[in-house]
């Protein structure tokens, strides 16, 4: 059986379990109420991606940041003082205009039917596909939340978190160590700012002015050139060196080579418990292999059903940035 056939079989199997995992969501939720819902979102993401490919990682991370705060309920989209959108971890997120554009089109097609939370979940999947990743069936049927507080973002994973802390934050939502490694693998696309890792390059240790010893020494000088000690902290650097625009497993190869950009990312290799999953994605001999694209879809289905509001809970917002 060819690899392509195997992958398609696994994707179909994922679709079959989506309703069970979905806590009230299901694949094809809008099949009768708004038949073109998914195609409208897909076309909108495609249109924006054509003019600015950086919206793909932006939308993926926005969905992640939404789900880890009050569940996947589009609360991250709400405007206002002291909302999630205004919190430090979310200030540099991109793609709000894409969601707003898709919502405008869906309201014209099917008024009051498609939730902003579902648009965000679909857009995240479509972003992965546009960057050459595998697709997966997205269970839909979420409703939008009405609570959005900046103070609730404190449980978002941070770039200095230890693996133990990362595990705790993921486990709080029913996500295991494999889900952690898999979802962090989403850093295979996109960039980060120098301000979030430059401290690793200068005076990192207490014994002198050395760099983080977990960084490959030959890579340190490259990063120092890109991010000088007193340079522009907002300068953007690829999270997956050499492959920032392709959704592939090269991110894990970079961790193995000591070329993880964020401290929390590199720790997935230096910690023995998570390193095994990195090795399995890399096909290390003696370990059962994992196919990154397939496992990413599985973990995204799990994550995208964290704390979902369905049925009579929540609302369908007419404008994603404002509570009805």
């Amino acid at each position: 059986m060819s690899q392509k056939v195997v992958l398609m079989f696994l994707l179909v199997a994922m679709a079959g379990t989506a309703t069970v995992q979905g806590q009230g969501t299901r694949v094809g939720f809008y099949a009768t109420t708004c038949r073109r819902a998914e195609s409208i979102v897909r076309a909108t993401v495609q249109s924006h991606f054509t003019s600015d490919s950086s919206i793909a990682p932006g939308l993926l991370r926005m969905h992640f940041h939404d789900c880890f705060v009050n569940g996947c309920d589009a609360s991250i989209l709400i405007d206002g003082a002291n909302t999630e959108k205004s919190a430090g971890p979310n200030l540099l997120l991109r793609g709000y205009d894409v969601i707003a554009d898709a919502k405008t089109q869906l309201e014209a097609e099917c008024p009051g039917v498609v939730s902003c939370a579902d648009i965000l979940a679909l857009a995240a999947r479509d972003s992965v596909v546009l960057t050459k990743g595998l697709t997966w069936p997205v269970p839909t049927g979420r409703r939008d939340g009405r609570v959005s507080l900046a103070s609730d973002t404190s449980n978002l994973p941070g770039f200095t978190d230890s693996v133990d802390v990362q595990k705790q934050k993921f486990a709080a939502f029913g996500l295991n160590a494999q889900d952690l490694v898999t979802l962090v693998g989403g850093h295979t696309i996109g960039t980060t700012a120098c301000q979030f890792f430059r401290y690793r390059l200068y005076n990192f240790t207490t014994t002198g002015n050395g760099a983080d010893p977990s960084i490959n020494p030959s890579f340190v000088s490259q990063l120092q050139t890109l991010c000088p000690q007193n340079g522009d902290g907002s300068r953007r650097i690829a999270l997956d060196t050499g492959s920032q625009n392709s959704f592939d497993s090269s991110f894990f190869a970079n961790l193995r080579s000591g070329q993880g950009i964020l401290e929390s990312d590199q720790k997935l290799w230096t910690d023995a418990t998570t390193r095994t999953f990195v090795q399995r994605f890399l096909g290390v001999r003696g370990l059962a292999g994992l196919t990154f694209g397939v496992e990413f879809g599985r973990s995204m289905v799990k994550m995208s059903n964290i704390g979902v509001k369905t049925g009579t809970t929540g609302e369908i917002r007419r404008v994603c940035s404002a509570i009805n």
Side-chain angles (χ1 to χ4, degrees), residues 12-29 137-142 301-302 305 308 310:
V12 170
M14 285 164 56
T17 61
T19 301
V20 175
Q21 294 174 323
Q23 303 173 20
T25 60
R26 67 177 187 273
V27 174
F29 181 84
V138 175
T140 44
R142 300 166 190 78
V301 168
K302 290 176 66 175
N305 281 294
V308 295
T310 58

Side-chain angles (χ1 to χ4, degrees), residues 25-149:
T25 60
R26 67 177 187 273
V27 174
F29 181 84
Y30 298 109
T32 58
T33 56
C34 191
R35 184 175 53 83
R36 296 180 57 240
E38 294 199 25
S39 62
I40 287 174
V41 174
R42 183 165 53 250
T44 304
V45 176
Q46 169 76 70
S47 176
H48 284 262
F49 178 82
T50 299
S51 55
D52 180 7
S53 62
S54 70
I55 62 98
L59 290 168
L60 182 58
R61 276 160 212 155
M62 188 186 297
H63 182 45
F64 181 95
H65 283 215
D66 180 47
C67 290
F68 266 64
V69 182
N70 296 322
C72 309
D73 65 351
S75 53
I76 198 170
L77 304 176
I78 298 173
D79 286 337
N82 300 315
T83 59
E84 292 171 40
K85 186 186 289 189
S86 71
N90 296 328
L91 290 178
L92 298 179
L93 289 179
R94 307 190 59 212
Y96 294 108
D97 55 333
V98 182
I99 304 301
D101 186 1
K103 181 60 172 174
T104 297
Q105 295 181 57
L106 286 164
E107 283 300 302
E109 178 95 2
C110 316
V113 173
V114 182
S115 69
C116 300
D118 277 343
I119 296 172
L120 193 45
L122 292 167
R125 186 268 312 275
D126 297 337
S127 295
V128 170
V129 174
L130 286 169
T131 49
K132 305 173 187 176
L134 291 178
T135 189
W136 66 88
V138 175
T140 44
R142 300 166 190 78
R143 291 172 67 85
D144 301 320
R146 298 177 59 86
V147 177
S148 183
L149 299 172

Side-chain angles (χ1 to χ4, degrees), residues 2 16 23 32-33 87-88 95 97 116 123 160 169 199-200 206 210 288 316:
S2 71
Q23 303 173 20
T32 58
T33 56
D97 55 333
C116 300
T160 62
K169 290 181 176 179
Y199 68 92
R200 301 181 67 205
T206 57
I316 304 297

Side-chain angles (χ1 to χ4, degrees), residues 66-306:
D66 180 47
C67 290
F68 266 64
V69 182
N70 296 322
C72 309
D73 65 351
S75 53
I76 198 170
L77 304 176
I78 298 173
D79 286 337
N82 300 315
T83 59
E84 292 171 40
K85 186 186 289 189
S86 71
N90 296 328
L91 290 178
L92 298 179
L93 289 179
R94 307 190 59 212
Y96 294 108
D97 55 333
V98 182
I99 304 301
D101 186 1
K103 181 60 172 174
T104 297
Q105 295 181 57
L106 286 164
E107 283 300 302
E109 178 95 2
C110 316
V113 173
V114 182
S115 69
C116 300
D118 277 343
I119 296 172
L120 193 45
L122 292 167
R125 186 268 312 275
D126 297 337
S127 295
V128 170
V129 174
L130 286 169
T131 49
K132 305 173 187 176
L134 291 178
T135 189
W136 66 88
V138 175
T140 44
R142 300 166 190 78
R143 291 172 67 85
D144 301 320
R146 298 177 59 86
V147 177
S148 183
L149 299 172
S151 56
D152 288 340
T153 62
S154 59
N155 64 335
L156 283 169
F159 57 89
T160 62
D161 285 350
S162 68
V163 168
D164 283 342
V165 169
Q166 292 182 68
K167 282 181 182 177
Q168 290 168 10
K169 290 181 176 179
F170 276 69
F173 298 111
L175 300 171
N176 58 31
Q178 180 175 323
D179 295 315
L180 162 63
V181 176
T182 304
L183 292 170
V184 171
H187 286 168
T188 183
I189 55 174
T191 61
T192 189
C194 289
Q195 61 184 306
F196 297 122
F197 69 90
R198 186 166 52 191
Y199 68 92
R200 301 181 67 205
L201 310 178
Y202 310 94
N203 303 316
F204 181 81
T205 65
T206 57
T207 58
N209 60 357
D212 182 341
S214 68
I215 306 176
N216 187 317
S218 65
F219 192 48
V220 171
S221 59
Q222 295 179 46
L223 293 179
Q224 289 175 333
T225 298
L226 294 170
C227 295
Q229 190 165 11
N230 298 311
D232 180 5
S234 66
R235 183 176 183 182
R236 308 294 298 184
I237 304 299
L239 282 165
D240 184 1
T241 302
S243 184
Q244 73 181 74
N245 297 315
S246 294
F247 204 91
D248 54 31
S249 60
S250 63
F251 170 78
F252 299 112
N254 280 334
L255 297 187
R256 178 174 58 186
S257 301
Q259 295 184 331
I261 302 298
L262 299 181
E263 182 181 357
S264 55
D265 287 355
Q266 188 58 52
K267 284 175 178 174
L268 298 181
W269 178 259
T270 56
D271 183 275
T273 59
T274 49
R275 181 169 60 239
T276 298
F277 293 108
V278 176
Q279 292 173 318
R280 292 176 69 185
F281 282 129
L282 292 173
V284 172
R285 183 173 297 178
L287 295 173
L290 292 170
T291 302
F292 176 52
V294 171
E295 297 305 325
F296 190 81
R298 290 183 186 277
S299 291
M300 282 292 286
V301 168
K302 290 176 66 175
M303 187 200 76
S304 69
N305 281 294
I306 292 173

